[in-house]
Amino acid sequence: MVATRDAVDKLVMGRDLTPYPERLVKSTPNSPHVLIVGAGVTGLVTAWVLLDRGYKVTILSNGFANFGKQRLTSQIAGALWEYPPAVCGSHTDTVSLAHSKRWCMTAYHAWDKIAADPIVGQAAGVRMMEEIRDSGVRGFRHVGTGLVGERDVEKSYQVGDAYEVLSPIIDTDQAMLWLTSLVLGKGASTVTENIADDLLDLEEGLLERFGADAIVNATGLSGSTVAGDKTCYPLRGALIRVINDGQDFPKVEAALTISADAALDGEIIFLVPRNDNILLIGGVAQPHKGTLDMTLDDPAIVRMRQRAEKFLPALKNARLDEDYPLAQGLRPCRGKNVRVEREIRRRPGADKSSRIVHNYGHGGSGWSLSFGCAADVLDLIEDALRGDEPVPMAESGVVVCPSCHVHIRSK
Ligand SMILES: Cc1cc2nc3c(=O)[nH]c(=O)nc-3n(C[C@H](O)[C@H](O)[C@H](O)COP(=O)(O)OP(=O)(O)OC[C@H]3O[C@@H](n4cnc5c(N)ncnc54)[C@H](O)[C@@H]3O)c2cc1C
Ligand SMILES: *[C@@H]1O[C@H](CO)[C@@H](O)[C@H](O)[C@H]1NC(C)=O
């Protein structure tokens, strides 16, 4: 159960945001202008939030959502909403965990509203679906070992406990195109360009060139190029795509996952329906592997498929999606988890603090955190425009509320 404290979202669909091209607050010639670098889910959702608040927005990116061979990481994602999100392994401290919980609840309610509107939900490729995990953390319905009978799970599989929650299922290709056209409809401009240096050195030039007042860094995993943060690293992942039309095996209608903390061998099970026709089989998590050259014969992929078949034997008959059998991508990880923070460094000789706001390092949870982080970015931009000094994220005074959730532990 989610208690009241978490339920108070800073950002509410309908109140602060609208999923239609009309803006909630129109911009005027005097509205501040924000340059967002990056057009993944983080950049686009941030753009949306700013546009509905009346800002002018330009999105500069070296890549946009596409159906080509290398899609954006945001398109590769399983995009299952998780609570609390597994960002890049375990959280380093209670403050970062508290941030993540708050962010993902805000995003939960936003995606829920998007899914609840029949027209918007369908256009966006977002719907609510049941998720069952073996972690037994907490849930809206405690399924327990009854899961085995209910969901065609292998009878001998050692299910200790299970719960079920209603969670958003997002068809990322569709959702990314929808988000792109939504922010364009609200008046964002786009520029295709690569940023090859530390943004801090480029700040003045970019602000001047675009007539912008602040910059958002939403470049995902650009540690090496948009230099400055050496703690960024890739956590490689891959998903097998099989046809889920009910012909080869009983259609899988719910996402079934066993998270890393609950898996016996430490290897996760991640079965997520993508849309009406495709089931994703995951999950691989390989830190510091930065190339996208995995094949279906890769031992990690073979093991991943075997694990899924051991769990749900009917999957042995699954047919691959011939057009796109294996999706792989690099989760943008960071030493100290997600960074939603103003730039603290000041350029030598500068008399004002930087007006860069960072929003990156979402690891395996960019979709789960999306709206939550964007709401904080909005606050940080307002601080920057007022000329306030930046405050490091760790000192931003988050309320840690340990009793917000009822925990149910597995045996
Ligand atoms: C296999 C897999 C499974 C996943 N499953 C889930 C899941 O179930 N749930 C979930 O929430 N998340 C999941 N994720 C994680 C999710 O994909 C990421 O957290 C999310 O996509 C991060 O979004 P982003 O916008 O920050 O980065 P990206 O999508 O990488 O976008 C970055 C943007 O910045 C641009 N850019 C980068 N560098 C530069 C530069 N130098 N100059 C200009 N532009 C630049 C890029 O072109 C791109 O537009 C998964 C990821 C993988 C790989
Ligand atoms: C912008 O984000 C990237 C991560 O994508 C990070 O490595 C880099 O340090 C950030 N830029 C600056 C100027 O901090």
Side-chain angles (χ1 to χ4, degrees):
M1 285 294 291
V2 178
T4 41
R5 185 83 66 101
D6 275 355
V8 181
D9 294 333
K10 274 165 81 174
L11 198 78
V12 177
M13 191 66 65
R15 187 190 71 191
D16 310 301
L17 285 173
T18 136
Y20 302 104
E22 302 74 51
R23 295 197 197 196
L24 271 186
V25 178
K26 301 244 174 330
S27 69
T28 67
N30 297 329
S31 302
H33 183 176
V34 176
L35 178 69
I36 297 179
V37 186
V41 62
T42 306
L44 293 181
V45 168
T46 305
W48 177 358
V49 169
L50 291 169
L51 287 161
D52 270 336
R53 197 53 75 95
Y55 284 80
K56 292 180 212 146
V57 171
T58 299
I59 303 168
L60 181 155
S61 187
N62 61 14
F64 290 87
N66 66 85
F67 283 96
K69 205 148 181 342
Q70 196 47 58
R71 304 181 188 193
L72 299 183
T73 304
S74 291
Q75 293 175 263
I76 303 300
L80 181 67
W81 180 89
E82 290 181 290
Y83 182 93
V87 180
C88 295
S90 55
H91 285 272
T92 44
D93 55 76
T94 50
V95 173
S96 93
L97 181 61
H99 275 304
S100 287
K101 287 181 173 177
R102 187 168 54 79
W103 289 330
C104 79
M105 284 319 302
T106 300
Y108 183 93
H109 295 129
W111 292 119
D112 189 17
K113 281 272 175 55
I114 291 171
D117 181 320
I119 295 167
V120 173
Q122 204 180 26
V126 181
R127 57 188 162 152
M128 298 305 278
M129 199 174 253
E130 294 161 312
E131 178 205 5
I132 305 171
R133 306 180 2 168
D134 183 38
S135 73
V137 185
R138 44 75 253 168
F140 300 122
R141 189 164 81 92
H142 187 196
V143 195
T145 51
L147 166 77
V148 175
E150 275 183 37
R151 299 279 174 190
D152 301 318
V153 170
E154 165 57 36
K155 300 259 181 314
S156 63
Y157 206 91
Q158 293 287 315
V159 173
D161 198 0
Y163 72 88
E164 189 172 282
V165 298
L166 206 58
S167 67
I169 287 276
I170 302 169
D171 184 334
T172 50
D173 286 320
Q174 194 180 335
M176 284 295 294
L177 290 181
W178 178 76
L179 281 171
T180 307
S181 60
L182 183 71
V183 298
L184 290 176
K186 287 179 189 284
S189 323
T190 56
V191 179
T192 306
E193 194 170 303
N194 183 54
I195 297 284
D197 276 309
D198 193 327
L199 266 181
L200 187 62
D201 298 330
L202 303 175
E203 180 176 359
E204 284 308 316
L206 285 170
L207 290 179
E208 202 177 286
R209 205 178 118 206
F210 289 98
D213 304 290
I215 299 178
V216 175
N217 178 14
T219 52
L221 184 72
S222 268
S224 50
T225 42
V226 194
D229 188 341
K230 300 287 175 238
T231 73
C232 294
Y233 66 94
L235 181 65
R236 184 164 71 180
L239 302 161
I240 300 172
R241 296 166 53 99
V242 299
I243 307 293
N244 187 27
D245 61 2
Q247 282 191 40
D248 312 299
F249 55 88
K251 194 172 168 102
V252 175
E253 305 271 14
L256 296 159
T257 69
I258 299 183
S259 58
D261 56 330
L264 286 177
D265 51 5
E267 291 200 303
I268 58 178
I269 287 184
F270 184 87
L271 301 174
V272 177
R274 159 104 310 164
N275 49 37
D276 277 333
N277 198 43
I278 300 290
L279 176 71
L280 301 174
I281 302 179
V284 172
Q286 301 175 325
H288 304 289
K289 290 272 192 333
T291 51
L292 293 173
D293 54 2
M294 299 184 99
T295 63
L296 288 164
D297 308 324
D298 195 290
I301 304 290
V302 172
R303 276 204 310 280
M304 167 170 107
R305 182 143 194 197
Q306 284 167 349
R307 278 200 308 279
E309 289 171 3
K310 217 177 115 198
F311 181 71
L312 210 67
L315 287 180
K316 290 200 174 94
N317 303 321
R319 253 177 314 143
L320 292 170
D321 172 16
E322 291 297 341
D323 295 335
Y324 190 12
L326 186 70
Q328 51 189 314
L330 307 176
R331 301 175 183 91
C333 283
R334 186 173 170 264
K336 283 192 252 157
N337 289 316
V338 189
R339 184 172 185 203
V340 178
E341 182 177 60
R342 287 196 40 208
E343 176 60 61
I344 309 290
R345 295 173 299 163
R346 199 182 265 210
R347 266 168 61 77
D351 56 354
K352 293 192 298 260
S353 42
S354 159
R355 279 181 280 166
I356 297 172
V357 176
H358 298 288
N359 190 6
Y360 67 84
H362 298 74
S365 301
W367 288 90
S368 298
L369 299 169
S370 51
F371 290 95
C373 294
D376 283 6
V377 169
L378 179 64
D379 286 352
L380 296 174
I381 285 180
E382 283 167 1
D383 292 350
L385 295 180
R386 263 198 312 271
D388 293 355
E389 285 299 310
V391 180
M393 197 179 164
E395 293 158 30
S396 57
V398 201
V399 186
V400 184
C401 175
S403 58
C404 281
H405 305 276
V406 178
H407 289 258
I408 306 163
R409 297 218 172 274
S410 57
K411 287 179 225 153

